[in-house]
Amino acid sequence: MTYHVEGVQIIGTKVTHGKGESIHYVNPATGESLEPIFNGSTLEDVETACKLADSAFDIYRETSPEQRAAFLEAIATGIEAVSGSLIERAALESGLPTARLTGECARTCAQLRHFSQALKTGEWLGVRLATAQPDRQPLPGPDLRQRQVPLGPVAVFGASNFPLAFSVAGGDTASALAAGCPVVVKAHSAHPGASEIVGMEVQKACSEHDIPEGVFSLLYDAGFDVGQALVADPRISAVGFTGSRRGGLALMAIAQNRPVPIPVYAEMSSINPVFLLPHALTSRTEKIAQGFVGSLTMGAGQFCTNPGLVIAVGGEALEHFCTLSKQLIIDAPAQTMLTPGIHKAYVAGVDRLAGNDRAKSIAAGQPGKALGSCQAHLFRTTADAFLDDQSLQDEVFGAASIIVECRDHDQMLEVTRSLEGQLTVTLHMDDDDLDVAKSLVPVLERKAGRILVDGWPTGVEVSDPMVHGGPFPATSDARTTSVGSAAIARFLRPVCYQSFPSALLPTELRDDNPRRLSRLVDGARVAAD
Amino acid sequence: MTYHVEGVQIIGTKVTHGKGESIHYVNPATGESLEPIFNGSTLEDVETACKLADSAFDIYRETSPEQRAAFLEAIATGIEAVSGSLIERAALESGLPTARLTGECARTCAQLRHFSQALKTGEWLGVRLATAQPDRQPLPGPDLRQRQVPLGPVAVFGASNFPLAFSVAGGDTASALAAGCPVVVKAHSAHPGASEIVGMEVQKACSEHDIPEGVFSLLYDAGFDVGQALVADPRISAVGFTGSRRGGLALMAIAQNRPVPIPVYAEMSSINPVFLLPHALTSRTEKIAQGFVGSLTMGAGQFCTNPGLVIAVGGEALEHFCTLSKQLIIDAPAQTMLTPGIHKAYVAGVDRLAGNDRAKSIAAGQPGKALGSCQAHLFRTTADAFLDDQSLQDEVFGAASIIVECRDHDQMLEVTRSLEGQLTVTLHMDDDDLDVAKSLVPVLERKAGRILVDGWPTGVEVSDPMVHGGPFPATSDARTTSVGSAAIARFLRPVCYQSFPSALLPTELRDDNPRRLSRLVDGARVAAD
């Protein structure tokens, strides 16, 4: 199915051209402005979208999990039907290669189906029951039943680096819709056309599945006014955001200063340290170097989980690793970055490192001919220097990384303790590295949401146990994940029903357990059947 | 066992007299200053306590759940052994009757044992596994395992109104210790002696159970400096607080403005609306009036869940209810309030209502002879007036309540929608009120953490399904509870272990499931055995 981009916003069932300032968006590979014109939404549009979302909330949250699951699956099917137009458009707007976007499109649809599946299992409802104890002394014990209920309308900010998987129908939207929350999306202004295509599919799924008007709206913003007004709107109950630390902190401040503060789930910055333990580094130098440079340069390094820091004890094996990595980096072709702004920030970040006496540039990749090309960069420093200069931990978003040479394992531990919060940390280890790994893991657990062994942090699996989150500044809230079914919990809160007559109880709390849920009953887990 | 209060603080294993400003604390029934002298802690004490807590964290969190369970039980046993001295001292410092404190002491110990029990079931670990899929196309699926890990040292603020159950070894401390987090308590300055007695028992349990130094410290504060420094300390990872809205907001601001923001679990204010539905009100007028005035005046109304608002449709039954309640209030004896400050605020709150044209005083209780006595007060207003004047929703902490007369059910719904966030809401209903109740529940779910039928909100059960929490301003974080085993989750965050060799995996994530946990495996709940 071919989709022709019109430059429209979606507010409930209304598809219109925005009346705000027009958005400047370009083909990042050529710098040319793109068509059609997208205008930003107005503050009245924010008001209308939030009002509709609020009106729809009570109806939407009463839909059955099966209905919401079918709705999410319909979105996935719809996106698949327009995937040709969508990928083409996203490639034009983002500079990302078609192969990558084909994968991201499949991931986006698989993610919607993952949440659909999670909805049906009902784990997210967190049902806990306590039987009444009428004869208990000195006082009778009441009948108590707990379930999770949705928070309310959620504001979702599209991410620049995943125009599909973390944007209009990405993880934040999918998990909020699964939870029973209406969503108002603020599209990322770098890929408005791809946002429209996906948005129209979400809207179509709404109408085909009798989802009330207002459960989904899609707004645009030429600057920051629309996004800020959205977070400040009293009907918005939570915020999902993936982007820069500055952007995340700004949204957190708005959310905290509202008359009624709300949670912000901002995924912000991470340099994803990789530890090369001595035996693994010696026995698999080449394989690790290849894996490292592959993970670092993939997609111009524009992943939140890009390996921006490598930590190892100095010696022959590390020198060999550096030599191999250097050559691989030199050969690495350049790739167009997502936006001129991201490219500019990358160049500035690399220049900052190059101008820092504490770091030494050891390799630069192919410079690339297209505008906004990301030339890969590899730096080296010592643990002493790294410990002296906190700025070496600043994320350089793109294909740049620093190798930190430690004197010994004690210093490696010291470097580990000095790290800021991260999304991921990775250990490359052989069996003989087990003792060193055991000394590191307790420190790493305090630093990151995910710890990998012998893998690479890019390529975040959409799965129940996934944690795509981590201590500040990796995210604004380490208690959650933005990928995988546990992400639903971000948009829920518990309610306890005390001494309710059966006729008034929510279905999933009834004695006869019609939803066949696994439940915690009087302190013990009771299976569905 | 008799305990003689010394006026000491506890920092790790060190029991010393504080060197800060001395704390002014009194017998609230007489206004007389009490002995011995308690000095506030110093900022150096905060520093030392936090440093010790941080050092102890990695060791403490590696203790087995069984060890921590035994530790919590030992605290309970220790408190029981000194309960005579403790209750006597708490009565002197709080003005609360011995019977109430006897109940609170039993509740505190039962609560410690509740968390001990919850630790053993392992539900709090939230284990989720996904099996590796080496042959998956286009990419293999990794082995992923998730568990919850503790956040780090927690700052707990003792509450004035529960000198035992929400103070030194109250719910916040018990749930944080259960989670594996060290605790630094800032004692409430109104009951320093009771705090010391409990603190010494916690310390004794630490030494008897090989709990590392720093897992528990107890500080005092003559003003706000110690508490503020504690929340600002970089080693503190979360805050538990029960108290005023002003106090909670102040701590939230400090926590949010740290270089690394941390969660604050502040339980602040709630007026706990009670809905009298027409058939119940008609058929059980007397019983409901008795229950209402009993719940309102119990403990001088100094409960977070005190019923400060009654909502009903006008008519004969409501008039009868008012007449009966009025007489019961007039007969209600006065009780000493917790502190001169709380009494002053109560009198000011009652005066504010009395001076508000929109509310009408209909009854005042016995004035009481002792200093700081709480004279019960009952007011009436109309829904029109209530909807006009948001200040009628301001909590008056103590035995004061307002009856709101609605024109009809539609107006009752309108009043319901206008409510701020609450800890509880209560419905009194007969079978014939079911339809009205059904129309209210969806609104109530958005307003409160707990909804009761035919009961009274005071007397919060310590139980797995309990939610003692609710939307702002009832608490700072509606996604949690401060009572019941689910409170442990406040001090945890998820970590995902990807492709870990078995020898490096945390025990509870191993394939052989040695802890016999119920786990989520590849999307399905798998029982322990």
Side-chain angles (χ1 to χ4, degrees):
Chain A
M1 219 159 63
T2 306
Y3 184 93
H4 183 71
V5 175
E6 304 273 1
V8 290
Q9 63 181 9
I10 303 169
I11 299 175
T13 56
K14 298 217 170 36
V15 177
T16 58
H17 290 280
K19 289 181 175 161
E21 204 182 322
S22 81
I23 292 168
H24 177 65
Y25 71 112
V26 300
N27 176 334
T30 64
E32 288 173 302
S33 289
L34 292 173
E35 301 260 296
I37 287 171
F38 271 89
N39 292 323
S41 307
T42 62
L43 298 184
E44 290 70 35
D45 294 331
V46 174
E47 167 73 22
T48 309
C50 292
K51 196 172 167 186
L52 284 171
D54 191 53
S55 309
F57 176 47
D58 276 328
I59 307 164
Y60 182 58
R61 73 189 185 97
E62 284 306 315
T63 54
S64 71
E66 288 72 20
Q67 272 175 281
R68 294 208 292 283
F71 170 46
L72 293 180
E73 283 166 35
I75 298 172
T77 307
I79 290 173
E80 282 162 349
V82 293
S83 61
S85 299
L86 177 60
I87 290 165
E88 192 185 329
R89 182 76 196 184
L92 185 74
E93 294 180 336
S94 70
L96 292 172
T98 303
R100 146 73 198 271
L101 287 165
T102 304
E104 189 180 328
C105 186
R107 177 200 178 81
T108 306
C109 297
Q111 188 163 256
L112 286 157
R113 295 195 174 98
H114 172 73
F115 283 107
S116 158
Q117 198 52 41
L119 267 178
K120 293 176 197 166
T121 69
E123 282 285 328
W124 59 280
L125 279 160
V127 175
R128 303 170 146 237
L129 309 178
T131 311
Q133 299 164 274
D135 302 324
R136 194 183 63 176
Q137 293 301 328
L139 287 170
D143 175 286
L144 293 167
R145 298 166 194 246
Q146 183 189 121
R147 69 163 177 169
Q148 299 286 327
V149 302
L151 289 180
V154 172
V156 170
F157 286 75
S160 63
N161 64 335
F162 279 91
L164 309 176
F166 283 89
S167 286
V168 178
D172 287 340
T173 297
S175 52
L177 291 177
C181 298
V183 168
V184 181
V185 177
K186 200 285 283 172
H188 197 283
S189 53
H191 50 77
S195 298
E196 175 187 322
I197 299 177
V198 174
M200 293 301 284
E201 292 307 318
V202 178
Q203 205 212 25
K204 206 197 294 172
C206 284
S207 66
E208 284 171 7
H209 285 262
D210 288 329
I211 301 299
E213 178 173 17
V215 165
F216 176 76
S217 288
L218 174 61
L219 305 177
Y220 295 87
D221 196 357
F224 300 105
D225 290 355
V226 168
Q228 289 172 356
L230 191 54
V231 175
D233 190 281
R235 288 152 298 202
I236 293 296
S237 299
V239 178
F241 169 86
T242 296
S244 69
R245 193 186 303 194
R246 202 178 58 173
L249 293 176
L251 297 185
M252 285 166 72
I254 295 170
Q256 286 158 356
N257 291 319
R258 292 163 44 120
V260 175
I262 55 172
V264 172
Y265 302 106
E267 195 240 274
M268 298 184 286
S269 60
S270 179
I271 54 172
N272 306 291
V274 175
F275 292 81
L276 309 180
L277 301 193
H279 290 90
L281 184 57
T282 303
S283 70
R284 293 181 272 141
T285 325
E286 196 168 335
K287 194 183 163 205
I288 293 174
Q290 281 169 349
F292 164 58
V293 177
S295 177
L296 175 65
T297 58
M298 181 164 60
Q302 298 168 115
F303 294 103
C304 335
T305 54
N306 189 56
L309 195 70
V310 175
I311 300 165
V313 172
E316 215 175 294
L318 180 59
E319 294 312 317
H320 188 203
F321 171 81
C322 288
T323 304
L324 292 171
S325 299
K326 184 177 162 175
Q327 195 52 53
L328 291 163
I329 291 282
I330 289 170
D331 296 342
Q335 281 183 58
T336 303
M337 297 194 85
L338 292 155
T339 70
I342 286 174
H343 179 255
K344 197 175 150 192
Y346 175 70
V347 172
V350 167
D351 286 351
R352 192 167 33 74
L353 283 175
N356 187 331
D357 288 346
R358 291 194 174 87
K360 183 181 148 199
S361 168
I362 63 168
Q366 298 295 308
K369 286 168 195 158
L371 202 76
S373 281
C374 174
Q375 182 181 22
H377 280 278
L378 187 59
F379 295 86
R380 263 189 89 158
T381 189
T382 63
D384 287 327
F386 185 83
L387 290 166
D388 262 2
D389 186 352
Q390 178 79 16
S391 82
L392 292 173
Q393 290 197 38
D394 290 350
E395 181 184 39
V396 177
F397 190 71
S401 190
I402 309 179
I403 297 167
V404 179
E405 178 185 343
C406 304
R407 241 188 336 265
D408 51 25
H409 296 135
D410 284 348
Q411 198 178 30
M412 185 185 263
L413 264 173
E414 201 184 339
V415 166
T416 311
R417 288 200 191 92
S418 80
L419 294 171
E420 288 191 315
Q422 305 291 339
L423 293 171
T424 73
V425 288
T426 300
L427 297 173
H428 285 274
M429 59 177 284
D430 280 358
D431 289 351
D432 290 339
D433 292 314
L434 189 62
D435 288 344
V436 180
K438 280 186 173 169
S439 71
L440 282 171
V441 167
V443 189
L444 299 179
E445 283 174 333
R446 293 179 69 168
K447 297 292 180 184
R450 178 165 57 117
I451 310 173
L452 300 86
V453 170
D454 292 342
W456 297 98
T458 44
V460 182
E461 188 74 14
V462 178
S463 176
D464 296 318
M466 177 48 65
V467 177
H468 190 61
F472 187 91
T475 77
S476 56
D477 191 338
R479 296 164 295 172
T480 63
T481 172
S482 63
V483 174
S485 63
I488 301 177
R490 295 180 297 168
F491 304 115
L492 298 170
R493 42 173 278 263
V495 172
C496 175
Y497 304 79
Q498 179 167 332
S499 307
F500 262 48
S502 177
L504 196 60
L505 270 177
T507 312
E508 52 265 24
L509 299 182
R510 275 166 36 194
D511 281 338
D512 58 347
N513 194 11
R515 302 261 332 276
R516 317 313 301 149
L517 299 167
S518 161
R519 314 196 285 191
L520 193 69
V521 182
D522 295 327
R525 177 61 66 171
V526 175
D529 297 299
Chain B
M1 219 161 61
T2 306
Y3 183 94
H4 182 71
V5 175
E6 303 275 1
V8 290
Q9 63 181 11
I10 303 171
I11 300 175
T13 56
K14 299 217 169 37
V15 178
T16 58
H17 290 279
K19 289 182 175 161
E21 205 182 321
S22 81
I23 293 168
H24 178 65
Y25 71 112
V26 299
N27 177 335
T30 64
E32 286 174 303
S33 289
L34 290 175
E35 301 261 295
I37 288 171
F38 271 90
N39 292 322
S41 307
T42 62
L43 298 184
E44 291 70 36
D45 294 332
V46 174
E47 166 73 21
T48 309
C50 293
K51 196 172 167 187
L52 283 172
D54 191 53
S55 308
F57 176 47
D58 277 327
I59 307 165
Y60 182 58
R61 74 191 183 95
E62 284 306 315
T63 54
S64 71
E66 289 72 19
Q67 272 176 281
R68 295 209 292 283
F71 170 47
L72 293 180
E73 283 167 36
I75 298 173
T77 308
I79 290 172
E80 282 163 349
V82 292
S83 61
S85 299
L86 177 59
I87 290 164
E88 190 184 331
R89 180 77 197 185
L92 185 72
E93 294 179 336
S94 70
L96 293 171
T98 302
R100 144 75 196 270
L101 287 165
T102 302
E104 189 180 330
C105 186
R107 176 199 178 80
T108 306
C109 297
Q111 186 162 257
L112 286 157
R113 294 193 175 100
H114 173 73
F115 283 107
S116 159
Q117 197 54 41
L119 266 179
K120 294 177 196 164
T121 70
E123 282 286 328
W124 60 279
L125 279 160
V127 175
R128 303 171 145 234
L129 310 179
T131 310
Q133 300 164 274
D135 302 324
R136 192 182 65 175
Q137 291 302 328
L139 288 170
D143 177 286
L144 294 167
R145 297 165 193 248
Q146 185 189 120
R147 69 163 178 170
Q148 300 286 328
V149 302
L151 290 180
V154 172
V156 170
F157 287 74
S160 63
N161 64 334
F162 279 92
L164 309 176
F166 283 88
S167 286
V168 179
D172 287 340
T173 297
S175 52
L177 290 177
C181 298
V183 168
V184 181
V185 177
K186 200 286 284 174
H188 198 284
S189 53
H191 50 77
S195 298
E196 175 187 323
I197 299 176
V198 174
M200 293 301 283
E201 291 307 319
V202 179
Q203 206 213 24
K204 205 199 292 176
C206 284
S207 67
E208 283 170 7
H209 284 261
D210 287 328
I211 300 298
E213 177 173 16
V215 165
F216 176 77
S217 288
L218 174 61
L219 304 177
Y220 295 86
D221 197 357
F224 300 106
D225 291 353
V226 168
Q228 288 172 356
L230 191 54
V231 175
D233 189 282
R235 288 152 298 202
I236 293 296
S237 299
V239 177
F241 170 86
T242 296
S244 69
R245 194 187 300 197
R246 203 177 59 171
L249 293 177
L251 297 185
M252 286 166 71
I254 295 170
Q256 287 158 355
N257 290 319
R258 294 164 42 120
V260 174
I262 54 172
V264 171
Y265 302 105
E267 196 240 274
M268 297 183 288
S269 59
S270 180
I271 54 173
N272 305 293
V274 175
F275 292 80
L276 309 180
L277 301 193
H279 290 92
L281 183 57
T282 304
S283 69
R284 293 181 270 140
T285 324
E286 194 166 336
K287 194 182 163 208
I288 293 175
Q290 281 168 348
F292 165 58
V293 176
S295 178
L296 175 67
T297 56
M298 180 164 60
Q302 299 167 115
F303 294 102
C304 334
T305 54
N306 189 54
L309 194 70
V310 175
I311 301 166
V313 172
E316 214 175 293
L318 180 61
E319 294 312 318
H320 187 32
F321 171 81
C322 287
T323 306
L324 291 172
S325 298
K326 184 178 161 174
Q327 196 51 54
L328 290 163
I329 290 281
I330 289 168
D331 294 343
Q335 280 184 57
T336 302
M337 296 194 85
L338 291 156
T339 70
I342 287 174
H343 178 253
K344 197 174 150 193
Y346 175 71
V347 171
V350 167
D351 286 351
R352 192 167 35 73
L353 283 175
N356 186 333
D357 287 346
R358 292 194 174 85
K360 183 182 149 201
S361 170
I362 63 169
Q366 299 297 307
K369 286 169 194 157
L371 201 74
S373 282
C374 175
Q375 183 181 21
H377 281 277
L378 189 58
F379 295 87
R380 262 188 92 157
T381 188
T382 62
D384 288 328
F386 185 81
L387 290 166
D388 264 2
D389 187 352
Q390 179 76 20
S391 82
L392 291 174
Q393 290 198 37
D394 291 350
E395 182 184 40
V396 177
F397 190 73
S401 192
I402 309 179
I403 298 168
V404 179
E405 177 184 347
C406 304
R407 243 189 334 268
D408 51 25
H409 295 137
D410 285 346
Q411 197 177 33
M412 185 185 264
L413 263 174
E414 200 185 340
V415 165
T416 311
R417 288 200 192 91
S418 80
L419 293 171
E420 290 191 314
Q422 305 290 340
L423 293 172
T424 73
V425 288
T426 300
L427 297 173
H428 284 273
M429 59 179 281
D430 278 0
D431 289 350
D432 291 338
D433 293 312
L434 189 62
D435 287 343
V436 179
K438 280 186 175 172
S439 71
L440 282 170
V441 167
V443 189
L444 300 179
E445 283 175 332
R446 294 179 69 169
K447 297 294 182 184
R450 178 164 58 116
I451 310 172
L452 300 85
V453 170
D454 291 342
W456 297 98
T458 44
V460 181
E461 186 74 15
V462 178
S463 176
D464 296 316
M466 176 48 64
V467 178
H468 190 61
F472 186 92
T475 76
S476 56
D477 191 337
R479 296 164 296 172
T480 64
T481 171
S482 64
V483 174
S485 62
I488 300 178
R490 296 181 297 168
F491 305 115
L492 298 170
R493 43 174 275 264
V495 172
C496 174
Y497 303 80
Q498 179 167 332
S499 308
F500 262 48
S502 176
L504 196 61
L505 272 176
T507 314
E508 50 265 27
L509 298 182
R510 276 167 33 195
D511 282 337
D512 58 347
N513 194 9
R515 304 261 330 276
R516 317 313 300 152
L517 299 167
S518 162
R519 316 196 286 190
L520 192 69
V521 183
D522 295 328
R525 176 63 60 174
V526 175
D529 296 299

